[in-house]
């Protein structure tokens, strides 16, 4: 199945909890209880190590005179981005993104989201190492769809999203993948900066904290990278503007649905109004495409049924980004000092972390960051 690059990266931040592939062997898995749980972790381990097996060092690929010219150019650019992440962003200097794997498929993993018929609250899965997350990931689309069908039979609304990249949090050397290597250069940079940020810091079971931190790092990183690569600015501004407008559309309907489900209406009334909202959402998307001159990058997302799982998967992973941006401003833009401050914050309880971030979120610097985040990305901002 073909898929546009815009659709591919819409789901770029939804990661698959393959950190469970760090499990040393089946002796531990057998203690988890239940054959289905053992089978799930087994496919995770097998899937991840298959990815690692396919990876080849970039240096060896570039030394091969028969390598396809387009891939050669992309690997050279990716290695330059990887070096920039170390030198300019103080991200980990290790083996991640120093190898490349062609998986011969459009996504590396497939995440399954599920939600009730009258709620956007996603069903949680509690996994080894990463804690409880609002999805469950599979290396096989068929396995993901089978699990989604099982949940659907139990009354859940479901959505299967293809994921182009994920992080193993530094436990393994994550490779560059064919699933994102051909995206615009700044988008490749965004994904590498984001995934490396998870190697700097990861708090078990606190998705919003982890994702907000990584989004902050990716945002600042891409801004600075674009300032140093002005030839990439025009391409990325157009690409990013379409994605932001799409996310704004989805977010507006997410808020409307939340208000509907919290209303005193009967369940039958809520269900009818929900269906009407989805009809209106499709119409709004068609109008948005007209303003884009017919750009169809998100058609695939609208091709299947709209439901609560699909809308709910646009979780507020950006919730604390303005607060983190304010903290970075307090550190005068110094990323190592910012990382140290966030690590110190991560050692507090979740309630204390949220209290500190809520205070930062009320500052003028956070308000400035919010306005910046709502506008299309530009270099040097």
């Amino acid at each position: 199945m073909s898929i546009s690059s815009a659709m591919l990266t819409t789901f770029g931040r939804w990661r698959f909890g393959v950190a469970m592939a760090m499990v040393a062997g089946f002796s531990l898995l057998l203690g988890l209880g239940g054959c289905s749980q053992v089978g799930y972790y087994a496919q995770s381990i097998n899937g991840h190590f298959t990815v690692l097996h396919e990876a080849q060092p970039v240096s060896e690929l570039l030394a091969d005179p028969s390598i396809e010219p387009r891939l050669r150019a992309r690997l050279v650019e990716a290695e330059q981005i990887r070096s920039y992440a170390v030198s300019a962003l103080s991200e980990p200097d290790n083996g991640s993104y120093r190898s490349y794997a062609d998986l011969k498929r459009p996504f590396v993993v497939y995440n399954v989201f599920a939600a009730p018929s009258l709620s956007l609250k996603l069903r949680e899965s509690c996994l080894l190492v990463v804690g409880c997350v609002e999805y469950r990931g599979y290396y096989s689309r068929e396995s993901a769809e089978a699990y989604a069908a099982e949940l659907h039979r139990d009354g859940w609304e479901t959505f299967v999203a293809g994921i182009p990249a994920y992080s193993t949090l530094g436990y393994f050397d994550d490779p560059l993948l064919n699933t994102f290597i051909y995206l615009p250069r700044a988008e490749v940079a965004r994904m590498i900066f984001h995934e490396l940020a998870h190697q700097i810091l990861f708090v078990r079971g606190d998705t919003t904290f982890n994702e907000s931190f990584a989004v902050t790092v990716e945002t600042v990183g891409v801004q600075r990278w674009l300032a140093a690569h002005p030839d990439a600015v025009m391409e990325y501004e157009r690409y990013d503007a379409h994605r932001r407008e799409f996310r704004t559309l989805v977010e507006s309907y997410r808020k409307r649905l939340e208000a509907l489900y919290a209303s005193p209406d009967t369940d039958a009334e809520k269900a009818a109004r929900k269906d009407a909202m989805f009809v209106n959402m499709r119409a709004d998307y068609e109008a948005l495409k007209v303003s884009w001159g017919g750009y169809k990058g998100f058609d695939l997302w609208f091709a299947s049924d709209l439901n609560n799982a699909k809308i709910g998967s646009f979780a507020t992973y950006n919730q604390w980004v303005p607060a983190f941006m304010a903290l970075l401003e307090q550190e005068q833009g110094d990323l190592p000092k910012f990382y140290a401050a966030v690590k110190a914050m991560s050692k507090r309880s979740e309630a204390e972390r949220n209290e500190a971030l809520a205070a930062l979120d009320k500052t003028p610097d956070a308000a400035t960051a919010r306005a910046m985040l709502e506008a299309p990305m530009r270099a040097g901002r």
Side-chain angles (χ1 to χ4, degrees):
M1 180 191 303
S2 62
I3 184 164
S4 74
S5 61
M7 275 303 305
L8 188 100
T9 54
T10 295
F11 310 125
R13 291 189 190 123
W14 293 332
R15 67 205 67 265
F16 171 40
V18 292
M20 78 275 290
M22 304 165 208
V23 179
F26 284 92
S27 59
L28 174 57
L29 297 180
L30 291 174
L32 295 175
C35 292
S36 62
Q37 193 79 327
V38 171
Y40 175 71
Y41 284 105
Q43 70 86 30
S44 300
I45 292 170
N46 291 336
H48 179 64
F49 282 105
T50 297
V51 171
L52 294 182
H53 178 73
E54 295 297 322
Q56 297 176 264
V58 170
S59 58
E60 292 182 9
L61 289 168
L62 294 179
D64 182 355
S66 67
I67 187 176
E68 195 266 324
R70 181 172 176 238
L71 177 58
R72 176 185 296 276
R74 287 303 184 134
L75 291 176
V76 169
E77 291 167 352
E79 286 302 276
Q80 292 170 347
I81 290 168
R82 182 66 180 87
S83 296
Y84 184 90
V86 176
S87 63
L89 306 181
S90 300
E91 293 197 297
D93 187 4
N94 54 30
S96 289
Y97 309 111
R98 304 291 191 187
S99 62
Y100 171 75
D102 184 354
L103 305 179
K104 305 293 193 299
R105 60 180 189 261
F107 299 110
V108 58
V109 290
Y110 299 86
N111 280 358
V112 180
F113 298 88
S117 61
L118 294 176
S119 171
L120 295 176
K121 182 171 176 56
L122 296 173
R123 185 180 190 274
E124 287 191 340
S125 290
C126 294
L127 308 172
L128 292 174
V129 181
V130 297
C132 296
V133 292
E134 296 173 328
Y135 53 82
R136 193 162 181 174
Y138 292 85
Y139 281 88
S140 159
R141 184 178 188 92
E142 292 73 19
S143 296
E145 290 179 342
Y147 178 62
E150 178 184 329
L151 292 176
H152 186 72
R153 287 193 294 270
D154 290 338
W156 297 88
E157 295 186 353
T158 61
F159 171 48
V160 177
I163 312 300
Y166 61 79
S167 173
T168 54
L169 312 180
Y171 287 85
F172 294 96
D173 290 336
D174 301 319
L176 298 163
L177 299 171
N178 67 294
T179 55
F180 64 86
I181 194 69
Y182 294 110
L183 295 173
R185 284 183 296 160
E187 182 65 9
V188 174
R190 183 191 71 78
M191 299 185 80
I192 290 175
F193 299 159
H194 183 103
E195 301 304 340
L196 287 174
H198 286 301
Q199 296 187 16
I200 296 172
L201 176 69
F202 186 87
V203 178
R204 188 178 189 274
D206 195 340
T207 300
T208 302
F209 185 89
N210 295 328
E211 294 300 329
S212 295
F213 168 70
V215 171
T216 301
V217 175
E218 79 172 49
T219 301
V220 173
V222 171
Q223 288 171 357
R224 296 181 183 183
W225 186 88
L226 285 173
H229 298 82
D231 57 312
V233 172
M234 185 176 296
E235 175 192 34
Y236 193 64
E237 283 184 358
R238 186 184 313 113
Y239 179 92
D240 187 59
H242 288 152
R243 178 171 54 193
R244 286 174 183 248
E245 289 185 68
F246 169 72
R247 287 177 175 165
T248 297
L249 172 67
V250 176
E251 179 65 13
S252 69
Y253 276 91
R254 188 182 69 81
K255 290 179 179 177
R256 292 183 213 181
L257 286 166
E258 283 183 340
L260 170 63
Y261 298 146
S263 74
D265 292 356
T266 66
D267 286 354
E269 291 170 335
K270 290 178 182 179
R273 288 179 58 193
K274 166 189 165 185
D275 290 343
M277 279 190 194
F278 286 148
V279 170
N280 292 337
M281 186 178 181
R282 290 185 183 279
D284 286 348
Y285 173 63
E286 291 302 318
L288 191 58
K289 282 201 299 183
V290 171
S291 74
W292 290 341
Y295 175 76
K296 300 179 180 180
F298 301 98
D299 279 9
L300 185 61
W301 195 84
F302 282 91
S304 58
D305 289 342
L306 296 177
N307 61 38
N308 289 332
K310 184 174 282 189
I311 303 298
S313 62
F314 276 76
T316 54
Y317 289 179
N318 294 340
Q319 178 178 341
W320 297 125
V321 174
F324 279 126
M325 295 287 276
L327 180 58
L328 177 60
E329 187 65 24
Q330 286 183 8
E331 300 296 343
Q332 300 179 322
D334 187 308
L335 283 170
K337 291 182 178 178
F338 169 68
Y339 299 153
V342 177
K343 286 178 180 178
M345 185 184 296
S346 73
K347 298 184 186 304
R348 306 180 193 177
S349 68
E350 183 173 356
E352 290 173 329
R353 289 196 299 270
N354 289 344
E355 183 179 355
L357 289 167
L360 285 165
D361 201 45
K362 296 174 182 176
T363 63
D365 286 335
T368 300
R370 230 179 326 271
M372 179 273 293
L373 291 166
E374 290 172 357
M377 181 179 290
R378 289 183 173 83
R381 201 176 52 190

